Amino acid sequence: MRGLTKRWTFRGDAPPPALADGAPVSSADRHAPPTLLARILAARGIGSAAAGSFLEPKLTDLHDPSLIPDVDRAAARLLEAVARHERIVIYGDYDVDGITGTAILFRVLRFIDPDCDVRTYVPHRLDEGYGLNTEAVEQLAAEGARVIVSVDCGVTAVEPAAAARRAGVDLIITDHHNGARTVAELPAAFAVVHPRRPHSEYPFGELSGSGVAYKLAWRLATMHHGSGRVGGSTRQLLIDLLALAALGVIADVVPLLGENRVIARFGLARIKHSPLIGLAALVEASGLGGANVDAMDVGFRLGPRLNACGRLGHAREAVELFTTADPARAREIAAGLTRQNDERRAVEAQILEQAAQAAEQAGMTADDRRAIVLADPRWHAGVVGIVCSRLVERFSRPTILMHRDGEGTCHGSGRSIDGFNLHAALEQCAGLLDRFGGHDMAAGLHLSEVKLGAFVNAFTAQANAQISVERLIGELAVDCEATLDELSAEAVSQLESLAPFGRGNPSVHVLVRGLRVTDQPRVMGTQGKHLSMVIRQGGTMLRTVAWNWGPRREQVQPGMMLDAVLRPKVSTWGGRTSVEPEILDVSIGGR
């Protein structure tokens, strides 16, 4: 079914039985119908046996960290370094996942021994690029590092691992990105801690970088205590650090299922009252002080601030935010991150306009060109990744944007659509690239400018071969059909037990047929960007909002019949609780 903006599909194998003749059917007319929550769980493949653990996850659902290959070897070496007062350097990636994972390991090591020689290092995004680099490893070794621990990077760092070995440094790699297919292809490091490395039997392979770091930190704590369990202040620290791990899980857009769901659920719950002064300062600077923080807050307010310093400045400030013990310094850094984020938004808007226009002019938004690949000297390499995501949303095709540096090199980022493995596509073009890394949905890359044209053609050929024309129309997945009277305050509140929402566990979408628009939709917001409209089905009437639908005001008129995909929501605006769904898309006239 096609709406004004998207192609509608049902989650699961098939849509539920349609309502007879398109007429609304009251839930009272059905014989013991499944509840709305039960139908949504079923659509997501969660049966009654698994529903309880999904809706009420427990910390005991987290797997034993020792099941991850090399984690015990890594923890033992770190504890040995602490006991010998050897210098440890935690080398973290410059995004939220790497920043939070770095802070987690730093805090646990300092908790074990407040006087241990542990330091952090974050590469500069533009000067050094993504991942471990040989020059930095050699410099850290020359400065006295005896153990280097990577966070959220390193699984493809063959040469930096060799450099560490030559310098007499034990390199411990912790990562979650796509890497070697065989053990022989892994970097020759002291330990490679990765849930999906070759021959791994770890039960959950989708951990984020912060999640892998958290597992190593957990194992450090248990080995230090000489027991599989810890209590008291150690246990409390690990619970508090779930807040940082949750930031990484959500910001890195890994599937919010399994262990990631447990980390996100319990970590989000810790943010509001976190004793971590840097996190508290960030929450306050983001305008969330005193509020419960959800996944959307992380994705749109906390995460962008942490990423901003890595994109426009240096991410070491974000690491310092989460490791400093000085409240004044934490507030200073948090305020600076907010200023940088405002600057990043302005730069992003400019690049988005330029890139969208360039893609259309180059024919990359047509049916016969199913990928966008562009490079421009004006584009800030630290911001292009965000713009890629915006273009994917707009044009429904994998997108790569790069900065031309004027010295013959292009470097930037890519984002993908579900079902198109970006990292695998880059592997097919590896002969044209200087280096690349990432996973199914996001990647970074460098290449020579003279090879840009050949790369554009090769990557586009990969996209054309794997992406059908039908998928170039944005897809809107629907959980199930519902009636307006089912969207009671109680029922909608129950749906919140499905949270946190994100990749792998998206927000709830229901299709409601046979709706009538009761009056003229009203524009909302200072610039009239949004719409408010009242819809009726049978005896039930609800006010709804449609974000960024201001330009469509004339398309929806009073008295019109609609089928609509809604996101059920409870509004507490003005201290009054009411159901106020969001309209995601409509089909005018119904079916």
Side-chain angles (χ1 to χ4, degrees):
M1 188 172 179
R2 180 74 183 271
L4 284 179
T5 66
K6 302 285 185 181
R7 176 172 53 91
W8 303 351
T9 60
F10 280 92
R11 304 194 209 278
D13 296 331
L19 301 179
D21 300 323
V25 177
S26 168
S27 58
D29 295 333
R30 300 174 184 159
H31 298 289
T35 64
L36 181 58
L37 177 59
R39 300 205 307 276
I40 291 165
L41 287 169
R44 298 180 179 212
I46 303 170
S48 56
S53 60
F54 183 84
L55 297 174
E56 297 182 10
K58 300 178 177 61
L59 286 175
T60 52
D61 295 333
L62 295 174
H63 302 301
D64 181 351
S66 291
L67 298 174
I68 301 179
D70 277 2
V71 77
D72 282 14
R73 177 174 169 82
R77 180 64 184 94
L78 286 169
L79 290 175
E80 178 183 58
V82 170
R84 294 179 175 178
H85 301 290
E86 295 176 313
R87 178 170 297 174
I88 301 166
V89 177
I90 306 170
Y91 187 118
D93 189 23
Y94 41 62
D95 67 1
V96 177
D97 206 20
I99 290 164
T100 53
T102 297
I104 288 167
L105 283 174
F106 180 91
R107 283 185 165 274
V108 168
L109 286 167
R110 278 286 170 88
F111 178 83
I112 290 170
D113 182 354
D115 296 322
C116 73
D117 187 0
V118 56
R119 307 184 183 193
T120 63
Y121 183 89
V122 182
H124 191 279
R125 180 186 287 265
L126 302 184
D127 295 343
E128 298 176 79
Y130 167 78
L132 285 166
N133 71 80
T134 300
E135 184 178 342
V137 168
E138 292 173 342
Q139 181 63 34
L140 292 172
E143 293 172 355
R146 298 275 59 86
V147 180
I148 296 175
V149 188
S150 78
V151 174
D152 194 34
C153 60
V155 73
T156 60
V158 173
E159 177 51 36
R165 178 163 291 193
R166 290 193 298 269
V169 172
D170 286 332
L171 174 64
I172 295 171
I173 292 171
T174 77
D175 202 354
H176 74 121
H177 292 96
N178 295 358
R181 292 187 174 88
T182 67
V183 171
E185 294 173 338
L186 287 171
F190 180 86
V192 180
V193 181
H194 191 305
R196 288 184 288 108
R197 57 169 280 181
H199 303 320
S200 173
E201 297 181 358
Y202 191 70
F204 184 74
E206 299 297 332
L207 288 171
S208 67
S210 62
V212 177
Y214 184 85
K215 287 304 185 91
L216 175 55
W218 177 359
R219 190 60 180 132
L220 275 168
T222 57
M223 289 183 72
H224 173 64
H225 281 264
S227 168
R229 300 174 64 88
V230 295
S233 57
T234 304
R235 182 179 186 276
Q236 189 58 53
L237 174 65
L238 291 174
I239 290 175
D240 290 336
L241 291 177
L242 281 170
L244 296 184
L247 294 182
V249 164
I250 294 166
D252 216 53
V253 202
V254 292
L256 290 185
L257 301 170
E259 287 193 292
N260 290 337
R261 177 172 173 78
V262 178
I263 292 170
R265 172 74 77 90
F266 284 91
L268 287 171
R270 296 298 305 164
I271 291 178
K272 181 177 180 179
H273 301 295
S274 175
L276 307 177
I277 61 171
L279 181 54
L282 179 66
V283 168
E284 192 68 32
S286 303
L288 295 169
N292 291 321
V293 176
D294 61 19
M296 187 170 290
D297 294 322
V298 173
F300 289 94
R301 301 177 82 166
L302 301 181
R305 282 170 166 78
L306 293 172
N307 272 326
C309 61
R311 296 185 187 283
L312 298 180
H314 202 301
R316 62 186 170 216
E317 285 197 343
V319 173
E320 184 185 355
L321 175 68
F322 290 143
T323 55
T324 184
D326 182 351
R329 177 59 179 153
R331 289 191 296 271
E332 179 186 3
I333 294 172
L337 297 185
T338 296
R339 289 191 298 271
Q340 285 182 315
N341 190 51
D342 291 340
E343 180 184 352
R344 185 271 308 168
R345 291 170 64 183
V347 172
E348 175 193 332
Q350 186 177 46
I351 297 174
L352 177 60
E353 181 180 351
Q354 294 167 349
Q357 185 178 35
E360 291 173 336
Q361 290 176 346
M364 293 178 178
T365 61
D367 289 353
D368 62 343
R369 301 285 298 277
R370 299 167 201 171
I372 295 172
V373 185
L374 297 166
D376 193 297
R378 298 172 296 174
W379 297 345
H380 195 293
V383 180
V384 292
I386 307 174
V387 180
C388 285
S389 297
R390 303 289 181 263
L391 293 176
V392 168
E393 293 170 7
R394 183 180 299 187
F395 297 114
S396 301
R397 63 198 67 208
T399 299
I400 294 173
L401 298 181
M402 292 173 284
H403 168 72
R404 293 180 191 254
D405 64 7
E407 299 178 0
T409 301
C410 300
H411 54 103
S413 300
R415 299 292 185 270
S416 193
I417 60 174
D418 285 332
F420 182 80
N421 186 324
L422 180 58
H423 187 269
L426 292 176
E427 284 185 320
Q428 294 299 312
C429 306
L432 298 168
L433 303 175
D434 294 337
R435 65 179 187 272
F436 66 95
H439 47 77
D440 295 6
M441 299 298 290
L445 69 163
H446 285 66
L447 74 154
S448 171
E449 189 171 348
V450 298
K451 296 180 180 179
L452 177 60
F455 172 68
V456 171
N457 292 334
F459 186 83
T460 302
Q462 289 289 318
N464 285 355
Q466 298 181 46
I467 302 170
S468 65
V469 173
E470 291 74 20
R471 291 176 60 200
L472 298 178
I473 302 169
E475 185 177 285
L476 182 58
V478 177
D479 286 288
C480 66
E481 291 191 24
T483 56
L484 217 54
D485 69 333
E486 286 186 287
L487 303 185
S488 65
E490 179 182 5
V492 175
S493 295
Q494 286 179 348
L495 300 182
E496 288 302 312
S497 60
L498 294 165
F501 299 115
R503 183 180 166 214
N505 185 46
S507 58
V508 172
H509 300 165
V510 297
L511 170 59
V512 184
R513 301 185 189 271
L515 297 167
R516 185 178 296 279
V517 181
T518 64
D519 54 14
Q520 180 66 49
R522 295 184 297 105
V523 294
M524 300 167 51
T526 55
Q527 299 178 353
K529 292 176 60 177
H530 315 299
L531 283 186
S532 168
M533 67 180 84
V534 177
I535 55 176
R536 179 191 293 275
Q537 186 192 58
T540 304
M541 189 164 57
L542 288 177
R543 179 182 180 271
T544 64
V545 294
W547 304 115
N548 298 309
W549 273 48
R552 295 191 176 91
R553 185 185 184 191
E554 300 306 318
Q555 293 178 269
V556 183
Q557 295 295 323
M560 271 186 174
M561 296 299 294
L562 308 172
D563 293 344
V565 179
L566 305 178
R567 179 186 286 128
K569 288 283 187 179
V570 172
S571 171
T572 56
W573 178 257
R576 176 173 159 271
T577 300
S578 62
V579 175
E580 191 174 280
E582 296 175 13
I583 289 184
L584 303 177
D585 202 1
V586 301
S587 175
I588 295 174
R591 59 175 184 173

